[in-house]
Amino acid sequence: MSEVGSRSAGRREPSRTGSVPTLLVLDAEPPPRLGRLTGRARIVRTDAAHLAERLPGADALLVWDFTSTAVREAWPGAGPRPRWVHTASAGVDHLLCPELAASGTVVTNARGIFDQPIAEYVAALVLAVAKDLPRTLEQQRERVWRHRESRRVAGTRACVVGSGPIGRAIVRLLKALGVTTALVGRVPRTGVYGPADLDRLVSRADWVIAAAPLTEATYRMFGAHVFGVMQPSAFFVNVGRGDLVDEDALARALTRRWIAGAALDVFAAEPLPPDSPLWDLPGLVVSPHMSGDTVGWRDELGRQFVELYERWAAGRPLVNVVDKKRGYVPGH
């Protein structure tokens, strides 16, 4: 996990109550297990409707409901603000607003929890598509015996966009399957290509995988141009953020057979409405934002936050500190 170099980012000032710090929790079901903080924090739980009125009295904020945009909406109000905000998610676009970005508040995220599970999910999709498992299951239900050939995964090419921990974990697992991988990040460096290389890499890839954070630079970066550059036999996967993709452009690409297929685990609007045309697109696999959620994931998130709280309370530098201008935790 990335650690900030300055102690000021992890130093806890005296609490506003004069005793133990007040920890405000934007709750969701099931709530986090914070028993280890008994006597060490005054825990106040809130829903989105009451967040704005309770922010001024909080020393720290845990955004447990990481699907909510309530922080972004409530933060610009009057009064003091928490000195530290932690979100139980890898993405921070749901809470960052200009006022929070410009403030002295430290923001941390759940970097490190979802890397391997999401990589496994991507690898499972690649294998399932190459081995035509959906059709196998369909024909089993229909009691149809139809022999066919499947595709060899080893020797294919993947372009992974997003050079953070999730993207690097995807690369490691695909390499283990014999896939030739290219990793694309915000800036080129050793082992990472830059945005200028994207078209060339996408045009050669069998698998194009979106795992980037959502920023102004990445908003709908996967649109008509990228889908037009991809090979007709290529498959697209998004496990990053929904708004990385122009969903209308993807719908056209699939309908017109510009690409062979796609899998979306994240969407611009979640949950995906029952009347969304995405459900019926040819060649599209829809999953309900579950690629990183394995058995026990909420407990892992809770333990991670408690460890961060202990560092903060002791005045030690925090890890997983988000660069609020960039919208993610800087890394390698």
Side-chain angles (χ1 to χ4, degrees):
M1 293 189 290
S2 296
E3 180 171 323
V4 294
S6 170
R7 287 188 61 84
S8 62
R11 184 179 299 128
R12 182 179 68 81
E13 301 173 12
S15 76
R16 292 181 180 137
T17 62
S19 55
V20 297
T22 296
L23 170 62
L24 184 62
V25 181
L26 180 57
D27 239 337
E29 291 294 335
R33 297 182 180 181
L34 302 175
R36 278 172 51 185
L37 300 185
T38 301
R40 303 159 66 186
R42 175 177 172 266
I43 299 174
V44 177
R45 301 184 184 276
T46 187
D47 57 14
H50 297 91
L51 178 64
E53 66 188 67
R54 292 172 180 165
L55 274 177
D59 297 293
L61 170 65
L62 167 58
V63 185
W64 188 250
D65 185 358
F66 51 81
T67 65
S68 172
T69 60
V71 175
R72 193 168 59 199
E73 297 158 5
W75 195 271
R81 289 294 180 259
R83 294 182 289 272
W84 170 40
V85 174
H86 176 77
T87 178
S89 61
V92 297
D93 52 279
H94 61 291
L95 59 89
L96 283 183
C97 60
E99 292 82 2
L100 175 53
S103 73
T105 296
V106 177
V107 176
T108 56
N109 72 354
R111 179 182 173 113
I113 298 295
F114 302 106
D115 310 352
Q116 185 64 20
I118 291 178
E120 292 173 1
Y121 199 86
V122 170
L125 283 170
V126 168
L127 288 169
V129 170
K131 302 308 175 185
D132 202 18
L133 292 184
R135 192 184 307 182
T136 296
L137 295 174
E138 179 182 343
Q139 292 183 356
Q140 179 183 348
R141 287 192 297 269
E142 297 172 350
R143 298 180 179 232
V144 172
W145 180 280
R146 184 171 296 138
H147 180 271
R148 61 199 187 281
E149 297 173 345
S150 65
R151 189 177 183 184
R152 185 190 294 268
V153 171
T156 60
R157 296 175 179 270
C159 176
V160 180
V161 183
S163 59
I166 293 173
R168 295 198 300 271
I170 292 170
V171 165
R172 286 194 299 270
L173 208 49
L174 292 183
K175 281 185 175 179
L177 295 175
V179 179
T180 300
T181 60
L183 184 62
V184 179
R186 187 179 66 90
V187 294
R189 52 200 183 275
T190 303
V192 179
Y193 294 93
D197 299 299
L198 185 61
D199 282 5
R200 176 176 60 84
L201 296 171
V202 163
S203 68
R204 301 168 58 192
D206 301 289
W207 317 98
V208 177
I209 299 153
L214 180 60
T215 66
E216 289 184 4
T218 62
Y219 177 76
R220 294 193 176 180
M221 68 179 296
F222 294 96
H225 175 76
V226 171
F227 298 133
V229 170
M230 289 173 62
Q231 300 182 81
S233 59
F235 193 87
F236 174 74
V237 178
N238 185 16
V239 288
R241 307 298 286 177
D243 278 324
L244 294 177
V245 177
D246 181 337
E247 292 175 351
D248 290 338
L250 176 61
R252 288 192 298 272
L254 290 169
T255 302
R256 297 173 184 178
R257 307 293 182 181
W258 292 353
I259 60 176
L264 301 180
D265 185 55
V266 287
F267 300 84
E270 295 184 5
L272 188 65
D275 60 351
S276 170
L278 295 177
W279 290 106
D280 300 316
L281 281 179
L284 179 63
V285 177
V286 172
S287 58
H289 204 150
M290 58 177 283
S291 61
D293 303 344
T294 52
V295 175
W297 65 284
R298 290 185 178 88
D299 289 338
E300 288 187 64
L301 288 171
R303 286 192 294 271
Q304 181 188 55
F305 173 74
V306 169
E307 291 170 2
L308 282 169
Y309 183 91
E310 290 171 344
R311 294 178 71 103
W312 177 74
R316 297 165 56 204
L318 287 169
V319 298
N320 289 5
V321 174
V322 173
D323 182 323
K324 294 182 291 182
K325 302 298 183 185
R326 297 182 184 179
Y328 55 89
V329 179
H332 301 294

